[in-house]
Each structure stands twice: as C-alpha cells, then as structure tokens.
Amino acid sequence: MMKLVLATLLSSAAAFAPTPQSARVSTAVSDSLNGWVPDESEFAWGLPGALSPVGNFDPLGFAEGTPLGTMRQWREAEVQHGRVSMLAAVGLLVVEEPIEYHPLFEAAEKDIGPAIRHLNEVDAVSPFFLTGENMHIVMPFNQKAL
C-alpha cells in the first residue's frame, strides 16, 4: 500500500515539472496546417470553409489585401463566435415552455417570461455570476495576446 501511495505521489509530481524549452521557436505564419498551405492568389489565402450556394462570401471586401496572420485571427474568431451562438441557441430551446427546466433557478415559483429575459433573472439571483463567467472566458485570450 505504501508503494502505491509513493508511486502515485511521484508520478503526479511530474505533471508540475517544467517542460524543456527548445532553443528555436517557429513563429512563421506560412507553415502548413493539416496539409493546408497558404496561397496569396486565392480568396482568404485559400483557407477552407466556402460553401456551395454562397461560395466566397465577403460582401464588404474585408479579405482583400489582409495579411495572413490577421486572416487566421479572423477565422479563429469566426469559429469561436459560431460555437458560442450554437450553445446559445440550444440554451434558448432548453429553457423554453415545453420543458420548463432551468439549471440556475426555480421557474415554478414565478413566471419569468421568454428565454430572452432569463439573463436578467440570473443577474438578479446571482449578480457576480455573469461577471465571473465573462472573466473566465476572456482570461485565456488575454494571456494569449500577451
């Protein structure tokens, strides 16, 4: 039993050891990613994602003349916003009338109205919840920017 405890402690301590840093770090934006190679002559540097009915959709012309690093940043932001909007759509459906379930507060005590007003109720019940969640979401991006 003592050997098991000792082995567990020693193996978990290795998780907190610093990883060896290589002397050279590549920051080039022209490296290929999953077989994709940037092509300046194509729309949005040839990034995948154009769908057949719309094709290369950029009605305001933001993609023309945009550097590759900025285009990758915009693509990452687009994917993140799409994920958040999908979760929000599911959240609106979950808390609406047929299911009558809300994970943060009891809806049976009072009528809180449509799902678009539920954030106001969450803020009334726990004023620092939304601020904490915003900080939790934003902090990794702030660390990444530094």
Side-chain angles (χ1 to χ4, degrees), residues 29-33 36-41 44-47 68 72:
V29 293
S30 62
D31 294 336
S32 66
L33 175 68
W36 171 77
V37 178
D39 186 5
E40 192 173 1
S41 64
W45 292 84
L47 282 166
L68 177 60
R72 282 184 169 177

Side-chain angles (χ1 to χ4, degrees), residues 11 13 17 27 38 48 54 63-64 68 74 87 100-101 104 119 134 144:
S11 66
T27 58
V54 180
E64 288 189 36
L68 177 60
W74 288 353
L87 285 173
E100 294 184 14
Y101 167 74
L104 297 176
L119 276 180
N134 286 337
K144 186 177 178 182

Side-chain angles (χ1 to χ4, degrees), residues 18-27:
T19 57
Q21 297 283 333
S22 64
R24 224 174 138 222
V25 176
S26 174
T27 58

Side-chain angles (χ1 to χ4, degrees), residues 5 55 57 71-72 85 90 93 96 102 117 120 134 138:
V5 170
F57 184 74
M71 186 62 64
R72 282 184 169 177
S85 66
V90 169
L93 294 174
E96 278 298 330
H102 198 287
R117 294 285 164 222
N120 298 341
N134 286 337
V138 170

Side-chain angles (χ1 to χ4, degrees), residues 49-56:
L51 300 175
S52 63
V54 180
N56 298 332

Side-chain angles (χ1 to χ4, degrees), residues 13-138:
F16 298 103
T19 57
Q21 297 283 333
S22 64
R24 224 174 138 222
V25 176
S26 174
T27 58
V29 293
S30 62
D31 294 336
S32 66
L33 175 68
N34 295 333
W36 171 77
V37 178
D39 186 5
E40 192 173 1
S41 64
E42 290 188 30
F43 175 76
W45 292 84
L47 282 166
L51 300 175
S52 63
V54 180
N56 298 332
F57 184 74
D58 185 22
L60 299 178
F62 288 128
E64 288 189 36
T66 303
L68 177 60
T70 305
M71 186 62 64
R72 282 184 169 177
Q73 182 181 9
W74 288 353
R75 181 59 60 98
E76 182 179 348
E78 180 182 12
V79 170
Q80 286 287 15
H81 287 98
R83 290 174 179 162
V84 169
S85 66
M86 286 186 278
L87 285 173
V90 169
L92 282 171
L93 294 174
V94 165
V95 298
E96 278 298 330
E97 193 64 32
I99 299 171
E100 294 184 14
Y101 167 74
H102 198 287
L104 297 176
F105 52 87
E106 290 292 325
E109 295 176 6
K110 59 183 173 180
D111 183 21
I112 55 175
I116 196 72
R117 294 285 164 222
H118 288 189
L119 276 180
N120 298 341
E121 188 67 24
V122 171
D123 198 30
V125 171
S126 177
F128 298 108
F129 177 76
L130 295 176
T131 305
E133 281 300 308
N134 286 337
M135 293 301 290
H136 178 72
I137 292 170
V138 170

